[in-house]
Amino acid sequence: MMTRNVTHYGFMLVLSIGSALATGSLAFAAELSPGQQAVQTAAQQGQYSFVMFYRSNDAATQSVHQTLTTTLNQRSDSSIVPVWITDTKEKSLIDRFDATRLPMPAVAVLAPNGAVTTVFPQNVTPQQLEAAIVSKGQATCLKALQDRKIVLLCAHTDQNRSIPAGVQQFQADDLFKNRTQVVTLQAQDPEEQKFLSQLGLPTNSPGTVIAFMAPPGVMLGKFNENVSYDILAQKLAAAGKCCDDPNCKHHR
């Protein structure tokens, strides 16, 4: 049987996968299982956790584990966390991903901030593992969406650019402020180029470009920095993501 507490160090935006799988949170430190402790330690060290759920040490499990170790062993930003699916001590981590329903073996990838970047059932390639390590901007957006928050991503081409007025007004609205997260990044940051390309945001436009997203993974629109609060609120309402009040002014 594979040792379960051995840890090896080392996309198209997956907007909705974590909202379905990662609704649970880690227990208090005194209650953490070995798997949870490994995930927590990795996060504290800025590492991704590749949680490999397995049922038996069969050929498929050995193959996936070999791919993980070969691909990630030389990376300092990654940790492999094997979890035996029938280990009662790991019930919380298993339940968090509803892993008993996944074809075994399965690999769930957690960013250091807790965002689920993807889940691989049965098979995984080195290229897929590499792609599961995403930029900080993408991980931040994923975590917010998985926490069921509205996201306004502002990509600045000028480091001195401020958050656009319409975005600030939207975030300040009592109806939205507790469930909105504004994410800022530099459009010219090489590490964010793939993410921005996946979103279809230009990186050479003057000023600030905005991606407006709602959970579980709805792209509400892409705008320049002149977008108004009213347009943002109307887009949210049109997508059915505003609120449940039939008399809300944004539903009119």
Side-chain angles (χ1 to χ4, degrees):
M1 184 65 65
M2 188 177 301
T3 303
R4 295 190 293 278
N5 62 354
V6 174
T7 301
H8 299 267
Y9 294 99
F11 72 81
M12 181 64 190
L13 179 64
V14 186
L15 289 171
S16 60
I17 190 168
S19 62
L21 296 177
T23 55
S25 59
L26 294 180
F28 292 107
E31 303 171 353
L32 294 182
S33 68
Q36 289 174 312
Q37 290 174 355
V39 169
Q40 184 181 76
T41 299
Q44 291 170 345
Q45 296 177 352
Q47 296 177 325
Y48 276 71
S49 290
F50 288 76
V51 184
M52 189 190 78
F53 297 102
Y54 68 100
R55 191 174 304 279
S56 64
N57 192 22
D58 57 13
T61 297
Q62 293 176 23
S63 176
V64 168
H65 191 260
Q66 180 63 37
T67 301
L68 284 166
T69 55
T70 301
T71 306
L72 304 175
N73 200 39
Q74 300 304 314
R75 297 188 64 119
S76 61
D77 60 356
S78 305
S79 172
I80 302 171
V81 184
V83 174
W84 187 28
I85 200 69
T86 56
D87 189 345
T88 57
K89 295 191 299 295
E90 299 293 354
K91 185 178 185 303
S92 180
L93 188 58
I94 293 165
D95 288 349
R96 178 183 181 186
F97 292 93
D98 201 13
T100 57
R101 295 178 179 272
L102 296 173
M104 294 288 110
V107 179
V109 186
L110 287 165
N113 69 346
V116 181
T117 64
T118 193
V119 175
F120 301 111
Q122 291 187 304
N123 298 300
V124 65
T125 66
Q127 293 77 17
Q128 289 173 322
L129 293 175
E130 295 281 356
I133 300 174
V134 302
S135 69
K136 289 183 179 179
Q138 182 169 352
T140 301
C141 289
L142 278 171
K143 184 64 168 65
L145 290 165
Q146 290 165 11
D147 288 341
R148 294 179 170 82
K149 291 185 177 181
I150 301 162
V151 173
L152 283 154
L153 171 66
C154 299
H156 303 302
T157 56
D158 183 345
Q159 291 186 353
N160 298 318
R161 216 74 178 185
S162 60
I163 296 173
V167 173
Q168 293 186 50
Q169 291 169 11
F170 182 92
Q171 187 182 31
D173 190 311
D174 288 340
L175 188 61
F176 308 128
K177 64 182 182 181
N178 292 328
R179 56 192 181 104
T180 297
Q181 183 166 341
V182 175
V183 179
T184 61
L185 53 80
Q186 295 302 312
Q188 303 299 325
D189 185 344
E191 294 186 1
E192 300 293 351
Q193 295 303 295
K194 180 180 178 181
F195 176 43
L196 295 175
S197 176
Q198 289 167 350
L199 292 178
L201 290 181
T203 58
N204 55 358
S205 297
T208 299
V209 290
I210 301 160
F212 189 25
M213 296 171 278
V218 181
M219 175 62 77
L220 301 177
K222 306 164 195 176
F223 309 95
N224 63 30
E225 62 186 20
N226 296 318
V227 65
S228 68
Y229 158 84
D230 288 334
I231 291 296
L232 294 174
Q234 290 166 14
K235 286 288 185 180
L236 190 68
K241 301 293 182 178
C242 180
C243 64
D244 297 324
D245 183 359
N247 296 315
C248 173
K249 64 180 180 179
H250 302 303
H251 287 299
R252 298 174 187 173

